[in-house]
Amino acid sequence: DEHSSDGRGVYERLVLDSLQGFIINCERRSRQEQKLRKIRGLRRDGSPVVIPDGGVFANEEMELDDIYLMESEEDGNDTGFGL
């Protein structure tokens, strides 16, 4: 068993959880940048957006599936994985 009582698989689970958290935080930052661009009337040319003190909001539940499903809907792709 990959998750046996001797702790094997724990490191892999921690790495996976960390990566998922990083991806979700990146998506949250991207969303907040888009909102700030719209509020401030900035173009979407890649210029940096200053996030206010307090950082990126985590006021909505988000999972990786949500991100993949949003991207597939935007691209007109029903797989969500760019295939």
Side-chain angles (χ1 to χ4, degrees):
D1 181 12
E2 183 181 48
H3 301 284
S4 62
S5 61
D6 66 2
R8 287 182 292 172
V10 172
Y11 174 77
E12 290 83 358
R13 186 74 210 162
L14 289 172
V15 169
L16 181 60
D17 288 346
S18 295
L19 287 172
Q20 289 176 345
F22 179 75
I23 292 167
I24 290 169
N25 286 337
C26 288
E27 179 62 25
R28 283 186 176 134
R29 181 179 175 100
S30 176
R31 287 180 179 199
Q32 188 165 359
E33 286 179 355
Q34 288 176 11
K35 288 177 187 176
L36 290 172
R37 284 182 194 283
K38 187 174 184 178
I39 290 168
R40 296 174 183 170
L42 301 173
R43 291 181 279 166
R44 300 175 92 184
D45 62 358
S47 58
V49 174
V50 177
I51 300 292
D53 290 340
V56 174
F57 303 125
N59 57 355
E60 64 179 295
E61 288 294 316
M62 187 180 302
E63 296 181 7
L64 285 180
D65 289 345
D66 300 325
I67 296 168
Y68 290 126
L69 291 173
M70 285 184 306
E71 288 177 358
S72 69
E73 289 172 1
E74 290 172 1
D75 296 339
N77 182 339
D78 62 356
T79 63
F81 296 102
L83 301 174

